[in-house]
Amino acid sequence: MSLNKKESHSREEATGMYGATARSESSSANGFPDAEIAPPTSTTTQREFREISKTAAPLVVTFLLQMSLSFVSVIFVGRLNALALGGVALANVAFTATMAIFQGLATCLDTLCPQAYGSKQYQLVGLYFQRCVAISVLFAVPIALVWWFAAPILQLLVEDARLVAIAAGYLRVMVASIPGFVIFECGKKYLQAQKNFTTGQYILFVCAPINVLLNYLFVLRLGMGYIGAPLAVSLTFTLMGMTLSGYIWYCARQESSVNCWNPLSNWRPIFSQWKTMISLAIPGIIMIEAEFLAFESLTFLAARFGTNALAAQSVVASVQSLTFQVPFGTGVAASNRIAHYVGDKQISNCRIATRATLLHIGGILAMANFLILVLGRNIVPSFFSKDEEVTHLAAQILPIIGVNQFADVFNVLAAGVLRAQGRQRIGGALNVLAYYAVGIPLALTLGFGTEMGLKGFWLGLGCGIVVLAISEVYCVHKSDWTKIIHDSHLLHQASAANH
């Protein structure tokens, strides 16, 4: 196929689900000059499907291994006694809820770093990374204080003083994990923007087993009790942060054609233009926290239905969290891919990559999650509990989770596209409305107002997920790619001028 035919085929693929062709959208009638849009390059839906899927695989592994760090500590503490297990489980909820702030802050790098890399403004990639670390350090101060003085806060939620004492002690030790966590979270984004999706995975291949070993030694062999668990996790995060920062420093010193590092001697720009990053980061925090708190609130409320219901809720919540990691990792891969095209001003490729993500990859992942949860409803719960009543109740709920996960795949992937576009604000607003105006009220009504119990919780929350998925996909469908690229160009132009 000749080059002209390839370009023609590419432009034809860009037409369809997302409206007019790149040429018609880039017309001056929209108020943005034609010169800002680069000539279309040749890509196809098949190529985007292949590339996004290939880069998603190591990201999914990375997220699963990182999630295992806290999970392992719960397993080892569970071998001590029920009281220690309850306290550590409570501390892990608080840990995850507050660490999500750092994860939300880092989502601004999903937009800025790959866009800068795609526009070949390479040192801006390093500058954005350094700014995000600096902002995260600023946020770390109040978070560390909350953890250090967590006991009075936890007393408002939990009546048992013994559980509060254990959870508060756990969180105090976890303060030491913050620097390593911040460096690793931001560093992953910095490398992913440069199409390096495997380094984080390789670091966790080493550090995750070390975490298991440290938990075994501290909690069981050395007799440190539950306090050994946060010590092991903190040391693991510190090792992860040090290893990744060492790798980044090593790469920055290599002679290469593409160097994305901003020399630390040029430190003044690191502490300027924070407003842009924070305006992208705050909606990212809202997106993550809104979903996390919605799901965790159901776990707390499930205790009102009895011990077995709470156990079943814990099982299905764990299954939901595991199946969520696959579309989430894919969403991050797609976000990087599309943001590169935004930076390179390739409207046609933005459209094709978006369509490959939502229609092709999304369709496969949604169906796979649905079938695994529905067909495996009588098998999957047995991996988490041997209690027949608990597994039976969980098996009744998993088909509902399957439907929810079917919709949530499109929600997660559309959120990835919105991050690539720099439109996190839309995602943040939709998350709050979908979960707290639709999902949670319906969940409480069906759960407590009818005899459905846990089923009502998940049905109500599922309605919110469906509303969120439809809303986000619609916003992506109506994207004005010319304006998105224009705004991206102005944003990076301002940073380059300051740099």
Side-chain angles (χ1 to χ4, degrees):
M1 182 181 290
S2 68
L3 179 61
N4 289 336
K5 287 182 179 179
K6 283 184 179 179
E7 292 180 353
S8 176
H9 176 63
S10 175
R11 288 193 295 270
E12 287 170 6
E13 279 208 75
T15 310
M17 176 181 174
Y18 301 101
T21 61
R23 177 174 293 181
S24 64
E25 188 178 9
S26 63
S27 65
S28 58
N30 285 330
F32 304 109
D34 290 342
E36 289 194 5
I37 307 302
T41 57
S42 177
T43 191
T44 64
T45 301
Q46 292 78 10
R47 181 186 177 192
E48 297 307 312
F49 180 95
R50 183 176 64 253
E51 291 298 321
I52 293 172
S53 299
K54 184 172 67 175
T55 55
L59 289 176
V60 172
V61 173
T62 300
F63 291 133
L64 287 171
L65 288 174
Q66 191 168 340
M67 189 177 70
S68 76
L69 300 182
S70 298
F71 183 69
V72 164
S73 68
V74 173
I75 292 176
F76 279 98
V77 171
R79 300 185 64 178
L80 297 176
N81 54 67
L83 180 64
L85 176 61
V88 170
L90 176 63
N92 264 326
V93 172
F95 167 79
T96 306
T98 43
M99 275 303 197
I101 294 174
F102 295 123
Q103 293 173 321
L105 280 168
T107 59
C108 69
L109 300 182
D110 287 334
T111 302
L112 297 171
C113 286
Q115 284 186 3
Y117 191 89
S119 64
K120 298 178 176 57
Q121 300 182 74
Y122 297 121
Q123 284 200 1
L124 282 184
V125 180
L127 178 60
Y128 290 141
F129 162 67
Q130 293 161 359
R131 280 180 183 167
C132 193
V133 171
I135 294 171
S136 297
V137 169
L138 185 65
F139 274 74
V141 174
I143 291 175
L145 289 174
V146 168
W147 286 3
W148 194 259
F149 301 102
I153 301 172
L154 294 173
Q155 286 172 356
L156 300 175
L157 303 173
V158 181
E159 295 181 359
D160 193 324
R162 296 173 302 170
L163 289 176
V164 169
I166 292 172
Y170 185 103
L171 288 173
R172 279 198 171 193
V173 177
M174 288 301 290
V175 169
S177 71
I178 293 177
F181 187 96
V182 167
I183 293 295
F184 190 75
E185 200 63 33
C186 295
K188 285 190 305 181
K189 307 289 186 182
Y190 169 74
L191 294 177
Q192 288 163 14
Q194 301 170 61
K195 304 182 180 180
N196 180 342
F197 297 91
T198 57
T199 296
Q201 173 189 249
Y202 294 147
I203 290 174
L204 277 162
F205 278 155
V206 175
C207 290
I210 289 176
N211 180 60
V212 174
L213 177 62
L214 290 176
N215 270 278
Y216 171 72
L217 289 174
F218 293 165
V219 177
L220 300 180
R221 298 297 296 176
L222 299 181
M224 298 176 67
Y226 78 89
I227 207 68
L231 181 59
V233 176
S234 294
L235 286 173
T236 303
F237 273 123
T238 301
L239 179 60
M240 289 162 54
M242 291 176 61
T243 305
L244 191 62
S245 59
Y247 176 81
I248 291 173
W249 184 253
Y250 170 78
C251 292
R253 295 175 65 86
Q254 298 303 301
E255 295 291 335
S256 63
S257 58
V258 176
N259 185 358
C260 292
W261 186 249
N262 172 60
L264 293 179
S265 57
N266 185 36
W267 59 270
R268 292 184 185 276
I270 297 174
F271 300 98
S272 65
Q273 296 190 14
W274 282 16
K275 183 178 179 181
T276 298
M277 298 197 77
I278 292 176
S279 68
L280 293 172
I282 296 300
I285 295 173
I286 293 172
M287 289 173 72
I288 292 176
E289 290 286 7
E291 185 164 8
F292 172 81
L293 293 176
F295 282 96
E296 287 302 321
S297 64
L298 295 188
T299 299
F300 279 107
L301 292 171
R304 299 190 180 187
F305 297 123
T307 304
N308 287 334
L310 178 58
Q313 167 67 15
S314 299
V315 169
V316 297
S318 297
V319 173
Q320 185 273 337
S321 181
L322 286 172
T323 54
F324 174 83
Q325 300 306 315
V326 178
F328 184 71
T330 306
V332 173
S335 179
N336 269 269
R337 184 78 174 174
I338 296 166
H340 277 120
Y341 286 139
V342 170
D344 200 26
K345 305 183 182 71
Q346 298 288 346
I347 278 189
S348 178
N349 289 355
C350 288
R351 289 180 171 277
I352 294 171
T354 300
R355 183 169 63 183
T357 299
L358 291 180
L359 292 185
H360 298 268
I361 297 175
I364 292 173
L365 292 182
M367 186 57 66
N369 274 358
F370 175 78
L371 291 176
I372 289 171
L373 293 172
V374 172
L375 298 180
R377 64 188 181 276
N378 295 316
I379 301 173
V380 174
S382 63
F383 291 105
F384 296 86
S385 175
K386 300 302 180 184
D387 188 302
E388 290 186 4
E389 189 171 344
V390 171
T391 56
H392 177 70
L393 182 54
Q396 292 179 320
I397 301 171
L398 280 183
I400 302 173
I401 304 293
V403 175
N404 292 358
Q405 282 291 286
F406 186 95
D408 206 25
V409 165
F410 296 101
N411 156 40
V412 173
L413 296 182
V417 178
L418 290 174
R419 289 197 303 273
Q421 298 172 336
R423 298 201 296 165
Q424 286 94 326
R425 187 173 299 178
I426 292 174
L430 291 177
N431 268 265
V432 172
L433 289 173
Y435 283 116
Y436 298 98
V438 180
I440 294 297
L442 274 176
L444 297 178
T445 300
L446 294 175
F448 294 123
T450 70
E451 297 181 357
M452 299 177 69
L454 283 183
K455 293 181 183 178
F457 274 4
W458 285 101
L459 278 172
L461 194 63
C463 291
I465 293 173
V466 170
V467 168
L468 180 59
I470 293 173
S471 301
E472 289 193 327
V473 170
Y474 176 78
C475 288
V476 171
H477 170 64
K478 301 298 288 185
S479 296
D480 184 346
W481 287 101
T482 303
K483 185 178 186 304
I484 289 165
I485 289 175
H486 177 267
D487 291 345
S488 169
H489 174 72
L490 293 180
L491 186 153
H492 299 298
Q493 191 175 51
S495 292
N498 178 266
H499 182 265

